[in-house]
Amino acid sequence: MTSRPQHLPERLALISDVQAAEYISAGLLEGRADVPSLALDKVVEKLPGDDARLQLHRVRDLIDNAMTKFRDERPTAADAWLAPRLHETLRLTRREAAEKRLWTYLALGVAPDYVIWRHLPEPKADGSPGRVARDKFLGPHYKQTFARLWWAAELFRDGSDYRPVVVACGNQDMLNSALRLDVIDHRPTALALVRLMERGTVRTGREVNALTSAVNAAAATLMYDAIAPDTERDGEALRDWIAGAESSLPSPRNNLPEGPEDERAPMEAVESLVGHFEELFADAPVRGRTPDGSE
């Protein structure tokens, strides 16, 4: 199995897809090879300054904890634990998180062993080895191993509260489908989806996929931010939270961390969308669902 990189510098870095592609071999994708970390370190773009958020060991320690904690469980179980803690550890702005080269470096230069552990499928029926999809290293934000967790935490958190993130990331279909939708950037929409999961209105992967498809389709004619307005983001709260990284302790391993002290989404906005989404879901085609509502 792919091992932890032998060489880990002190700080995070950036690497382009073109440069990274040279190190993503078939052996790596099948979990048979390691990343030549010393050679990789020579081509990355080192991030300047002494920003505490860019200390590599803070992220690597967190990932080591995740692999240890969930070593006897299905790797998918790690998503709900790691997402809020990765978000709190890195403390990025959205503009910083849009830098694709950072996520590529995290996957290839910091934790390729985690990417393989988390995403390597079982061997195929003919006995040939499974292979991790390249987009887990290089893909868009809704597919790349670490970008998808950070953005899930950013879009589903309710102010400083990461509990909705845990619910959303605990369902792979919600995590995989919702992050593709533009409407998920509207916080009451994201939280209303979580609320329907918490209430048991949607439970299975098929139901989640039917709900998100219906919500997205309805957004073409109905502006959710008009009928359920959100509060404005507090830039000062985010700046204070980022500045606090210098003196912050490692993200708690047993309790949820706290995000920036943004104002929570208006409860009435979330509830109004919960009722609307329930109606959409009632009419949505769920594959395998019979007329009496069972699957």
Side-chain angles (χ1 to χ4, degrees), residues 56-73:
L56 186 148
H57 73 86
R58 292 163 63 98
V59 181
R60 182 65 228 197
D61 289 350
L62 182 66
I63 291 168
D64 285 338
N65 284 166
M67 295 179 71
T68 299
K69 184 178 181 67
F70 295 96
R71 62 188 172 192
D72 296 326
E73 300 182 41

Side-chain angles (χ1 to χ4, degrees), residues 53-291:
R53 298 177 300 156
L54 304 179
Q55 295 174 1
L56 186 148
H57 73 86
R58 292 163 63 98
V59 181
R60 182 65 228 197
D61 289 350
L62 182 66
I63 291 168
D64 285 338
N65 284 166
M67 295 179 71
T68 299
K69 184 178 181 67
F70 295 96
R71 62 188 172 192
D72 296 326
E73 300 182 41
R74 292 178 62 86
T76 52
D79 289 350
W81 185 89
L82 184 56
R85 292 169 176 83
L86 180 68
H87 187 273
E88 191 269 344
T89 297
L90 290 174
R91 301 196 181 203
L92 303 173
T93 66
R94 289 193 176 190
R95 175 174 294 183
E96 290 170 330
E99 174 54 84
K100 191 172 183 291
R101 295 178 297 165
L102 174 64
W103 302 117
T104 302
Y105 179 72
L106 269 176
L108 194 62
V110 178
D113 52 327
Y114 179 88
V115 178
I116 300 301
W117 172 80
R118 169 62 183 81
H119 293 291
L120 186 65
E122 295 293 328
K124 300 177 182 178
D126 62 3
S128 59
R131 180 177 290 191
V132 172
R134 288 171 62 87
D135 58 23
K136 300 307 178 185
F137 285 97
L138 304 177
H141 74 279
Y142 53 84
K143 286 188 175 182
Q144 204 271 354
T145 297
F146 297 111
R148 68 198 285 266
L149 297 180
W150 190 94
W151 281 104
E154 173 67 9
L155 295 171
F156 283 104
R157 69 180 175 87
D158 188 9
S160 63
D161 185 5
Y162 285 118
R163 286 177 296 178
V165 178
V166 175
V167 176
C169 292
N171 185 298
Q172 288 299 302
D173 291 279
M174 178 62 75
L175 183 56
N176 292 334
S177 62
L179 290 185
R180 300 170 182 262
L181 309 179
D182 289 340
V183 294
I184 210 67
D185 192 42
H186 180 237
R187 195 166 48 154
T189 294
L191 295 175
L193 293 175
V194 169
R195 197 69 55 85
L196 290 173
M197 294 175 64
E198 291 176 323
R199 293 180 179 180
T201 304
V202 293
R203 303 180 306 279
T204 68
R206 292 177 179 179
E207 290 176 341
V208 167
N209 287 330
L211 172 64
T212 54
S213 295
V215 167
N216 192 53
T221 57
L222 184 64
M223 297 182 64
Y224 297 141
D225 55 351
I227 64 172
D230 194 4
T231 55
E232 291 189 10
R233 297 296 176 94
D234 187 348
E236 184 175 352
L238 178 61
R239 288 190 292 271
D240 289 346
W241 185 66
I242 289 173
E246 192 70 37
S247 58
S248 66
L249 296 173
S251 193
R253 280 16 181 189
N254 296 320
N255 301 315
L256 279 177
E258 293 186 359
E261 292 291 339
D262 295 332
E263 190 173 346
R264 289 175 177 264
M267 185 177 297
E268 61 274 15
V270 176
E271 287 300 325
S272 68
L273 289 181
V274 167
H276 180 64
F277 293 170
E278 283 179 325
E279 295 177 3
L280 291 177
F281 178 65
D283 295 330
V286 179
R287 187 163 60 89
R289 183 165 65 179
T290 61

